[in-house]
Structure formats: structure tokens, C-alpha cells
Amino acid sequence: MDLDEVAGRLYALPPSEFTAAREAEARAAKDAGEAGLAREIAKLRKPTVSAWAVNRVVREHPDELAELLDVGERLRAAWQEQDADALAELTRRRAGVMGKLGRLVRQESGLSPAAAAEVDQTLESAIVDADAAGQVRRGCLVRPLSYSGFAPAPVPRERPAKRPSPGDEARKPEGGTRKPEDEARKREDEARKREEAEARRAKEREEAEAAHREWQAALESAQRERDERAERVAVLERKLAKARKRLTESEQRLGVARREERHARRRLG
């Protein structure tokens, strides 16, 4: 028995079962004479619900996860090479794989909106960051992952500059002015660049709006959960106050009864 083996068993469990199972594993290691391993097991931290959901994907949907991580690896390579065609295709594939995997997680794990958003954030991290991909692949996450910076996205393909051919200089009008077709080509290039820039801005805004909607839903869910728990605490505090009042009254009656009992005993004597 080694730590990786034990961790693999523990992080496959729901968070509600983790602590008891960890203690049992630590006791078993200690009883087997492996005190050092027992201490290491005891240090393993309980996973959050979203981390457990990702760990579950690793074990129950390995093919879908492998596809996601493969897309991420190819996407990072295409980004390094600035391959616009590959980036565009892989970005479409990423959306499809993320959507499929996200639906599986939500259907099977019963996550809150906030936890589901953390799962998406973790999977996105595995796509854009190789270290995060390695952590996800192990299936022993303790908390959700996040990344900073921009995710790989398609880059506009720039049209190579046209090399002047022999005789171009000779065909130029006197005074070095551009030909009408050159001016038209320039206007077309500028219009194309404007359209690409507008499309990028529209896509970035769409992604930002989608992220905002997700976190707004998570915020509302967290607020409702907090309000419900605050109300339960208030109810319990009111009950506790009443119980304390009744206890005080009982103590007062007990004091009176003791005093009267002593007086009665003295009269008997």
C-alpha cells in the first residue's frame, strides 16, 4: 500500500464520506506498522464538491476527458505556432467537448450553480494550462483550479505583402501615385480588418456576458443559501433564548424549594 493508491481510493468518494474513510485508511496503515504512511494519509485534505465532481469525471468518463485534454494540448500547440485555421477549428471542438462534459457533470452530480461554474473553470484551466491538465488527469483534486490570462483563441490571418514584380515601377503613373486597383485593394484590406476586429470584440463580449450570467446565477444561489442558513440560525437562537429563560426559571424554583425545605427541616428539629 502506498500514498497514491490510498489517495486514489479516497478522492473517488463523495466529500461526505471522505473524512471517515481517511481515518480508517490511516488506522489501517498504522496497524500495519507504517506510521509514516499513516501520517501522510492523515494530511490528505477533504475535496470541495466541485473538485470531487471533476475527480468523478476522471474515473467515470475517461474517454470524454481524454478528448478534452487532447483538444487542449492541440490548442496550446496551435497557439504557439499562431496557426489561425487550427485555432479556429480547435476552438469549435473545445466548445463542443466542454458542453458535453459539462452536461454529464450536471446530470450526474446534482451540483449547485456555483459548484458547476467551478467545474467549468477547472476544465477550462486543464485546456489552456499543461500543469492543470496533469492535476486533473490524476483525479485527486482538493479544490477547483483557475487560470489567469487569455485563453487561446483564433488569430486573424494576415495577407502576405505582395512583392513588386519587375516592371511594376515602370507601370507606375508619373509622380508615384497608386493605381486605382491598388487603392481598392487597400480599402478592401482595411474593411476586412475592421470586420475581423468587430467580430473579435463581439465574441469577447458574448463570452464575457455568458461568464457574467453564470457568476450572477452563482451569486444569487450563494445569497439564497446564506439567507436560508441565517434564518435557521435566527430560529435556533430564539429557541435557545427561550430555553435559557426556562432554565433560569427552573433554577429559581429550585432555589426556592431548597430554601423552604431547609426551613421545614429546622422546624422539625
Side-chain angles (χ1 to χ4, degrees):
M1 181 169 63
D2 59 24
L3 185 61
D4 288 341
E5 179 185 348
V6 174
R9 289 196 295 269
L10 291 176
Y11 287 107
L13 298 172
S16 59
E17 301 175 16
F18 181 88
T19 301
R22 179 187 60 194
E23 292 175 354
E25 292 280 4
R27 282 196 302 271
K30 188 174 181 179
D31 292 343
E34 299 184 75
L37 176 59
R39 286 192 295 270
E40 291 300 317
I41 293 172
K43 293 178 183 178
L44 294 175
R45 296 177 59 188
K46 178 181 175 180
T48 65
V49 172
S50 57
W52 162 73
V54 176
N55 294 338
R56 182 177 179 179
V57 166
V58 175
R59 292 165 175 81
E60 298 186 7
H61 301 289
D63 294 340
E64 288 82 356
L65 180 67
E67 183 180 4
L68 181 83
L69 298 180
D70 177 67
V71 168
E73 185 175 350
R74 293 172 181 268
L75 195 60
R76 294 192 299 273
W79 178 253
Q80 290 292 330
E81 297 170 1
Q82 293 292 283
D83 187 334
D85 291 338
L87 278 168
E89 173 61 25
L90 289 165
T91 299
R92 286 191 291 271
R93 283 188 60 194
R94 175 179 69 177
V97 175
M98 274 289 298
K100 178 170 63 176
L101 210 49
R103 286 191 296 273
L104 284 173
V105 171
R106 285 166 173 78
Q107 290 168 4
E108 298 176 2
S109 302
L111 302 178
S112 68
E118 288 178 344
V119 169
D120 290 342
Q121 172 185 296
T122 299
L123 295 177
E124 284 285 0
S125 298
I127 288 174
V128 302
D129 184 79
D131 290 339
Q135 293 181 56
V136 167
R137 189 179 285 110
R138 285 188 62 230
C140 294
L141 291 179
V142 172
R143 64 176 67 86
L145 303 178
S146 62
Y147 66 93
S148 59
F150 297 99
V155 292
R157 182 185 296 278
E158 295 185 359
R159 183 178 297 177
K162 181 181 177 182
R163 293 185 178 182
S165 59
D168 279 352
E169 293 296 327
R171 287 195 295 270
K172 281 186 180 180
E174 291 182 4
T177 57
R178 296 172 181 259
K179 288 186 176 182
E181 54 268 31
D182 292 337
E183 292 290 346
R185 188 179 301 110
K186 179 183 177 183
R187 287 193 296 271
E188 289 176 2
D189 288 344
E190 291 174 347
R192 175 179 55 79
K193 290 177 180 178
R194 284 195 299 271
E195 290 174 359
E196 290 173 347
E198 290 172 0
R200 285 197 304 276
R201 286 194 293 269
K203 182 174 178 59
E204 289 170 357
R205 179 169 181 80
E206 181 181 347
E207 291 175 349
E209 289 174 347
H212 177 259
R213 286 194 297 271
E214 288 183 0
W215 283 111
Q216 189 174 41
L219 173 62
E220 292 171 356
S221 175
Q223 184 66 49
R224 285 195 300 272
E225 183 179 353
R226 182 264 178 198
D227 292 344
E228 290 171 0
R229 292 183 176 179
E231 178 60 27
R232 287 200 293 271
V233 169
V235 170
L236 292 172
E237 287 177 342
R238 288 195 292 270
K239 289 182 178 179
L240 178 60
K242 291 179 181 178
R244 283 177 172 163
K245 182 179 179 181
R246 289 194 293 268
L247 175 61
T248 299
E249 292 170 351
S250 296
E251 288 175 343
Q252 290 172 348
R253 287 195 296 272
L254 177 61
V256 171
R258 284 174 174 168
R259 185 171 61 252
E260 293 301 323
E261 188 273 336
R262 285 196 300 271
H263 290 163
R265 192 180 333 119
R266 282 197 295 270
R267 286 197 298 272
L268 286 174

